[in-house]
Amino acid sequence: MVSAEKPKVFCVGRNKTGTTSLKKALGDLGYRIGNQRQAEVLIEDWGKRDFRRLVQYCREADAFQDIPFSLPFTFQAMDMAFPNSKFILTIRDSAEQWYKSLVRFHSRRLELRTGEKRVPTLADIQSDPYIYPGYLWRVRELVGVASDSREAYPEKSLKDHYNWHNSIVVHYFRHRPKDLLVLNLARPDSMKKLCGFLGFDYDGRPMPRLNKS
C-alpha cells in the first residue's frame, strides 16, 4: 500500500496516450485514484486558470489523470500546490499515431452510441452526451484548438497542440529529472520504468492494456 508520506502522482499526458492503463497500474500499486468525473467538471475553472477547487479535490486522493491534468497549465499549478509530487508524461510513438488513436476512439464511441460506423462530424462532437451534451466541444473551445474551425478533427492543429504540450512539460522539468517520467506504455519496459520512478521493486508484471482503440 502507498504510505501517507508518498508524494502525489500526476499523469499529465494527453488523453489517448495510455492514461487509462496507467490509472490501472497505479491502482494496482496501491494509489488511491481521484474520481475522474469530479475533476472533468472543473473544466470551466481550468479555462480561467482558477485551480482552487482542483487543489482541494486533489487532497482526497493520491494519483490523478485525464482532464484537466492532461492539459497545459495544470501541471504547473499542481507542482506549486503539492511540492515533491511526481509527474508522468505519457506519450505515443508519434503525433500521427496519437491523432489516429483519438479519431478511432471517438468513432468507436459513436458506433456504440448510435450503431453508425463512421468518423464523428462536428455536429456529433457538439451533441455528444459525455458529461453533458457539448462537453467535448467545450473542452476544445477552452483549449483553443482550432476554435474557429468547422472541422471535427483539424489534423494540424491537434497534432501541433499535442507536440506543444509534450514539449512544455519536458522543458518545465528539464532541471528536475527525478520529478518527471516520460513514458511510452507500448514499450515492454514501461512497467519496470514506472516502478523504478515511484520507488517500487519491480516484480515482473506487465503494464496493463486497457481502453485500446
Side-chain angles (χ1 to χ4, degrees):
M1 296 296 291
V2 177
S3 69
E5 292 73 29
K6 283 286 185 180
K8 291 188 183 296
V9 176
F10 294 100
C11 309
V12 298
R14 291 303 307 272
N15 302 65
K16 300 314 302 169
T17 58
T19 55
T20 303
S21 297
L22 182 58
K23 172 184 175 180
K24 177 65 165 61
L26 291 170
D28 289 346
L29 290 172
Y31 286 88
R32 296 174 302 156
I33 309 299
N35 183 297
Q36 182 179 331
R37 183 61 58 90
Q38 291 178 10
E40 287 175 320
V41 298
L42 298 177
I43 190 62
E44 296 293 341
D45 287 12
W46 177 88
K48 300 171 186 174
R49 311 298 184 253
D50 181 350
F51 296 99
R52 289 173 293 181
R53 289 200 292 175
L54 190 64
V55 167
Q56 188 61 36
Y57 155 85
C58 288
R59 300 190 191 282
E60 304 302 319
D62 307 311
F64 313 90
Q65 49 93 47
D66 278 352
I67 290 174
F69 303 100
S70 57
L71 299 177
F73 309 110
T74 310
F75 68 89
Q76 296 99 317
M78 298 303 101
D79 187 35
M80 296 296 102
F82 300 100
N84 304 313
S85 293
K86 297 289 188 179
F87 294 81
I88 301 172
L89 175 65
T90 46
I91 61 171
R92 302 298 293 262
D93 291 338
S94 66
E96 175 72 12
Q97 184 188 56
W98 170 79
Y99 175 80
K100 289 181 177 179
S101 178
L102 177 70
V103 175
R104 282 197 306 270
F105 180 71
H106 284 190
S107 299
R108 180 59 175 156
R109 273 180 49 79
L110 179 68
E111 181 183 355
L112 290 173
R113 196 171 78 251
T114 68
E116 300 180 65
K117 294 184 178 181
R118 59 178 175 80
V119 174
T121 65
L122 184 64
D124 292 325
I125 297 173
Q126 291 175 329
S127 62
D128 190 297
Y130 184 72
I131 297 188
Y132 59 79
Y135 174 85
L136 296 179
W137 182 250
R138 180 56 177 159
V139 170
R140 182 144 349 146
E141 286 183 321
L142 291 171
V143 171
V145 178
S147 59
D148 59 345
S149 171
R150 307 319 292 170
E151 296 180 68
Y153 296 95
E155 185 171 353
K156 184 179 186 305
S157 295
L158 287 169
K159 288 180 178 179
D160 285 350
H161 196 272
Y162 168 83
N163 286 326
W164 175 71
H165 174 73
N166 291 349
S167 68
I168 63 171
V169 172
V170 171
H171 183 75
Y172 181 86
F173 289 103
R174 67 193 183 281
H175 301 307
R176 296 164 52 189
K178 293 183 179 180
D179 295 337
L180 174 69
L181 174 65
V182 180
L183 191 64
N184 186 331
L185 272 68
R187 304 291 170 82
D189 62 348
S190 59
M191 191 67 191
K192 182 178 181 179
K193 286 184 175 180
L194 176 65
C195 289
F197 178 66
L198 297 177
F200 289 89
D201 292 330
Y202 179 57
D203 60 7
R205 75 180 72 179
M207 179 65 68
R209 293 286 185 267
L210 301 177
N211 220 10
K212 294 176 68 176
S213 297

